[in-house]
Amino acid sequence: MTCASCASRIEKKLNRLDGVTASVNYATEKARVEAEAVDGRDALVERLVATVEKTGYQAEPSAPPEADAGDDAEQRTDRELRVLRRRLVVAAVLTVPVVAWAMLPALQFDHWGWASLVLSLPVVGWAGWPFHRAAAVNARHGAATMDTLISLGTLAAFGWSLYALVFGTAGEASMRHAFTFFPAESEATSAVYFEVASAVTTFLLLGRWFEKRSKRRAGSALRDLLQMGAKDVAVLRDDEEVRIPVGQLAVGDRFVVRPGEKIAVDGVVVAGVSGVDMSMLTGESLPVDVSPGSLVSGATVNTSGRLVVRATRVGADTQLAQMARLVEQAQSGKADVQRLADRIAGVFVPVVLVVAVLTLGAWLLIGAAPEEAFTAAVAVLIIACPCALGLATPTALLVGTGRGAQLGILIRGPEVLEASRGIDAVVLDKTGTVTAGTMGLTAVHSAHAELGERELLRLAGALESGSEHPIARAVTAAAADTLGTRIGALPGAGDFRNHEGRGVSGIVEDREVAVGRRAFLSERGVAVDTGVEAMLDDVESRGRTAVLVAVDGALAGVLILADAVKDSSAAAVAELRELGLAPTLLTGDNASTARRVAEEVGVDDVVAEALPEDKVAAVAALQRQGRTVAMVGDGVNDAAALAQADLGMAMGTGTDVAIDAADITLMRGDLRSVADAVRLSRQTLSTIRSNLFWAFLYNTVAIPLAALGLLNPMLAGAAMVLSSLSVVANSLRLRRFRARSG
């Protein structure tokens, strides 16, 4: 495809097939098709390819993004660029003297017109052959595209000049003429336009070369994303390392990752402790600590210790491949503004041909010289090419969604960008979104004269290490962290007993230890004085959890735990307010816990004790108030509310169900990335709109100027190229977008 009207033609043909819904993207050169494969997938694909070929183009089934990012795709693009560059260089070298002779009378010599013919023939014929070939193919199918305008314009200029040389006075040895920006009245066959044919061909080749390079740069984020993965892996076979290609790795295989190496595929750590650099997938700059049981993702980098990982997801199932599919889906979609541009581009070229014919006729009817009429008509043909119109949306989408992927923000499609514009309310799930989603120790109070806080925590952590309860894990982790040791280095607990839902008991270093709720210790005859009772009531009224510790039958102290608010949550809420979004905290927790978290992060509106259906109702209630709502969540119970919202955002650290229901996936757990996603979406949409504005303005202003004879065809060609390059350059500015959450 060479222009937006090509994409429009193919899309129309595909959509005429029964049961087929197709969207053709000019920038990515791909068609996204939804259809029912009645006769099987292969038969459907053959029918689609045949339809494209009947339209005058070539097609083949698209490989999955993870398979299309290798050296073959890169080499294909490089080969096309080399061929285009070769034509451009030859055209430029031969065009320079032709233009110089035409513009500077001092350089004109006897028979310079014939010399111009010799030099411009390979420019128009060979270098410009892709334009003529495409125009001829389209003509056979009864269609006209941008190539039709270019071919007609350059061949008309060349043909007129050849006629003037052979049958007119332009072929005389003494022929001289001055260059003018506007067509001047003179004898029709006394001037040649070889410089117009050559320069326009060269300008357009230059524009197409820049366009192809820019499209490649625009799509580089997805390509870079896909090439992040490891190429080979050291898999363990009978406890011996065997290095194999990543593609041969199977689910369940164990493989070794040394410091500095990339983790091959998604998996779970079975041995080793290390830090993992997640920045490739999430944009998060700090390494994440991992140990046995930790989940890791392919393409991330092991920074320190040796790890043994068991593969859980390989090939197209890995997080990296899923990210790639989301990004490609977004880049191949179309926003409503793009559909409008496509409809205009589809009828634009035939309209321009009519305008060019009318321009020629009008000039001749008012008595103008054929030279003036011809020049004006050719200028209309050349300047009207709708390249900028076709590039306006897809280039911005390519760059914006690609940049988002680099920052860990996956935008599902262009309609998401349009939804982000009107968002004025944001509903935040509490657990796992505003808070860490795991219990953390916030305070230790010793009630035993002989036991300090560190010793109290050491005994409690040693006992709780035998339990898998979330509170037990939080106490054990806090003990190990406070003592500066590993969890496994804590003392062992004998006679360990788990009293379901109440607490645990056992022997630690010959001391009887019990940890649990107030009622559990009362059952064991442990007295709790009024001061501790008052503290417990105060702690629980603020939505926190209090755990009592008894040593040798006496109260030793109190441990206070809470689902800790993420460090970034308060700053994130402030950023959302700056963007004009009114926040609401939504949670299934009790009201006191919800209010505490809301006060800590700066949210006024709170909906607590909400079941999944209540969360949907809360979003719907805001929508009935005329609000456009964004919902941010991470759990299975958030999926319905994410789907109900005008814009659903799922934390990538959450469940697959939530991610599938969302419009935007935020790969890092930082709530500030919500504001980054909104800013990026709005900035991308703003770029699309500014691109379309300037593209429409260019064609609206330029065509009348050309028809009125106020533009030289050569300058028209240069202006057309500059309009396309300005659109691409404007889109590439999105690559400089910076996340505040980095």
Side-chain angles (χ1 to χ4, degrees):
M1 298 185 294
T2 56
C3 68
S5 52
C6 296
S8 179
R9 283 189 59 228
I10 297 171
E11 186 171 292
K12 285 179 181 177
K13 291 286 188 181
L14 289 173
N15 282 319
R16 285 175 186 165
L17 296 174
D18 290 339
V20 170
T21 301
S23 174
V24 179
N25 191 299
Y26 168 51
T28 60
E29 298 178 346
K30 290 186 178 182
R32 182 174 178 80
V33 181
E34 294 181 14
E36 186 176 350
V38 179
D39 300 325
R41 186 181 185 279
D42 292 341
L44 173 62
V45 170
E46 287 180 12
R47 188 157 58 101
L48 295 171
V49 170
T51 301
V52 174
E53 291 176 345
K54 287 178 183 176
T55 312
Y57 301 87
Q58 293 179 328
E60 62 183 11
S62 177
E66 64 271 14
D68 198 33
D71 295 337
D72 290 345
E74 199 80 12
Q75 290 173 1
R76 184 169 61 248
T77 303
D78 288 343
R79 187 164 55 250
E80 292 172 356
L81 278 169
R82 281 197 302 272
V83 171
L84 198 53
R85 185 170 60 242
R86 190 180 308 122
R87 292 183 187 275
L88 172 61
V89 169
V90 171
V93 169
L94 297 179
T95 296
V96 169
V98 174
V99 172
W101 295 334
M103 293 181 67
L104 302 173
L107 298 180
Q108 294 171 4
F109 49 88
D110 286 351
H111 299 298
W112 69 272
W114 293 96
S116 296
L117 167 64
V118 172
L119 294 183
S120 61
L121 181 60
V123 175
V124 176
W126 177 77
W129 173 248
F131 303 121
H132 308 313
R133 180 186 175 280
V137 170
N138 288 319
R140 283 203 302 271
H141 292 85
T145 65
M146 184 190 80
D147 294 296
T148 307
L149 302 181
I150 296 171
S151 182
L152 283 175
T154 55
L155 289 178
F158 185 87
W160 180 277
S161 303
L162 182 60
Y163 176 83
L165 277 179
V166 177
F167 300 104
T169 59
E172 296 177 357
S174 59
M175 186 273 289
R176 304 286 189 275
H177 69 68
F179 174 82
T180 59
F181 285 99
F182 309 112
E185 184 175 354
S186 61
E187 185 183 345
T189 58
S190 65
V192 291
Y193 291 96
F194 291 121
E195 80 281 3
V196 170
S198 299
V200 166
T201 300
T202 303
F203 280 139
L204 294 175
L205 285 171
L206 177 65
R208 193 159 286 184
W209 183 71
F210 271 123
E211 179 185 313
K212 199 162 196 67
R213 276 189 72 226
S214 299
K215 281 161 64 176
R216 179 182 175 185
R217 288 179 63 198
S220 63
L222 176 59
R223 196 163 48 248
D224 293 345
L225 178 71
L226 291 165
Q227 291 176 346
M228 286 177 181
K231 306 305 179 192
D232 52 31
V233 58
V235 66
L236 289 176
R237 306 282 195 220
D238 298 326
D239 292 328
E240 291 188 7
E241 294 183 25
V242 179
R243 191 156 287 274
I244 62 172
V246 170
Q248 296 180 12
L249 201 62
V251 172
D253 283 347
R254 292 182 305 133
F255 59 93
V256 176
V257 189
R258 290 182 174 78
E261 290 184 341
K262 292 180 180 179
I263 296 173
V265 296
D266 297 358
V268 60
V269 177
V270 295
V273 176
S274 181
V276 174
D277 180 357
M278 302 284 288
S279 60
M280 290 182 174
L281 293 184
T282 67
E284 185 65 50
S285 57
L286 295 176
V288 176
D289 292 334
V290 298
S291 57
S294 299
L295 298 177
V296 291
S297 299
T300 55
V301 179
N302 179 22
T303 60
S304 49
R306 178 182 182 271
L307 295 176
V308 178
V309 180
R310 186 179 73 252
T312 57
R313 292 193 292 189
V314 300
D317 295 327
T318 63
Q319 190 176 44
L320 179 68
Q322 290 172 354
M323 285 177 64
R325 284 196 293 276
L326 278 174
V327 175
E328 188 185 48
Q329 179 181 330
Q331 293 181 343
S332 62
K334 290 186 181 179
D336 287 342
V337 287
Q338 173 65 15
R339 297 186 189 283
L340 172 63
D342 284 353
R343 285 196 296 271
I344 293 172
V347 298
F348 194 77
V349 173
V351 169
V352 169
L353 292 174
V354 172
V355 171
V357 172
L358 291 176
T359 299
L360 180 65
W363 277 81
L364 293 175
L365 284 174
I366 63 174
E371 178 186 3
E372 292 177 278
F374 166 78
T375 303
V378 170
V380 168
L381 288 174
I382 291 171
I383 204 164
C385 299
C387 299
L389 204 58
L391 290 169
T393 297
T395 53
L397 270 179
L398 276 171
V399 182
T401 53
R403 180 58 182 151
Q406 291 176 327
L407 297 173
I409 301 169
L410 303 185
I411 301 171
R412 192 175 290 275
E415 64 282 353
V416 173
L417 303 176
E418 292 174 325
S420 71
R421 178 185 50 170
I423 296 298
D424 57 8
V426 57
V427 176
L428 305 172
D429 172 57
K430 181 185 75 70
T431 307
T433 302
V434 176
T435 65
T438 56
M439 298 296 285
L441 185 71
T442 60
V444 179
H445 296 281
S446 175
H448 196 294
E450 298 178 6
L451 291 177
E453 293 180 356
R454 285 173 60 89
E455 179 63 12
L456 173 69
L457 188 56
R458 186 177 76 90
L459 293 174
L463 180 63
E464 292 279 34
S465 64
S467 172
E468 288 298 316
H469 192 279
I471 290 178
R473 287 201 299 267
V475 172
T476 304
D481 185 58
T482 301
L483 298 172
T485 186
R486 293 180 294 105
I487 292 174
L490 291 171
D495 194 24
F496 175 83
R497 293 184 183 182
N498 180 23
H499 305 269
E500 193 68 35
R502 292 177 296 161
V504 292
S505 63
I507 305 298
V508 179
E509 295 179 338
D510 297 326
R511 307 188 75 168
E512 183 182 344
V513 181
V515 180
R517 297 184 181 275
R518 212 183 322 194
F520 173 61
L521 265 65
S522 296
E523 292 173 6
R524 301 178 69 83
V526 177
V528 178
D529 63 36
T530 55
V532 173
E533 288 279 5
M535 182 184 68
L536 295 177
D537 291 339
D538 178 63
V539 166
E540 291 172 356
S541 70
R542 290 187 285 119
R544 298 174 185 262
T545 299
V547 176
L548 282 69
V549 182
V551 177
D552 294 330
L555 181 66
V558 180
L559 308 179
I560 300 174
L561 301 98
D563 182 4
V565 173
K566 294 178 181 177
D567 294 337
S568 60
S569 292
V573 170
E575 284 187 34
L576 292 171
R577 289 188 185 278
E578 287 179 15
L579 292 170
L581 308 181
T584 298
L585 187 68
L586 185 63
T587 179
D589 275 356
N590 61 68
S592 59
T593 301
R595 281 195 300 272
R596 174 187 65 81
V597 172
E599 289 172 5
E600 193 169 338
V601 300
V603 176
D604 300 324
D605 297 327
V606 180
V607 178
E609 300 178 14
L611 297 173
E613 56 269 28
D614 298 325
K615 294 186 176 185
V616 175
V619 172
L622 287 171
Q623 291 171 327
R624 284 195 297 271
Q625 295 172 17
R627 296 294 188 92
T628 305
V629 183
M631 167 72 188
V632 187
D634 75 326
V636 173
N637 59 349
D638 299 322
L642 288 168
Q644 171 68 33
D646 299 284
L647 182 67
M649 298 189 191
M651 307 301 279
T653 52
T655 64
D656 290 343
V657 176
I659 291 171
D660 288 342
D663 301 305
I664 295 177
T665 300
L666 308 170
M667 298 307 296
R668 65 176 73 174
D670 191 336
L671 190 60
R672 287 177 299 173
S673 58
V674 173
D676 289 333
V678 173
R679 289 192 301 112
L680 176 61
S681 297
R682 290 180 177 178
Q683 195 167 324
T684 303
L685 184 63
S686 175
T687 301
I688 289 173
R689 292 186 175 279
S690 63
N691 282 349
L692 287 171
F693 171 78
W694 289 112
F696 276 122
L697 182 67
Y698 164 79
N699 283 120
T700 302
V701 173
I703 292 176
L705 289 177
L708 292 172
L710 299 177
L711 280 177
N712 180 289
M714 185 169 65
L715 297 181
M720 191 273 287
V721 170
L722 289 175
S723 72
S724 297
L725 295 182
S726 66
V727 162
V728 174
N730 189 41
S731 297
L732 288 172
R733 290 190 307 115
L734 288 168
R735 298 179 73 185
R736 299 200 296 269
F737 179 87
R738 292 290 180 268
R740 294 178 184 174
S741 58

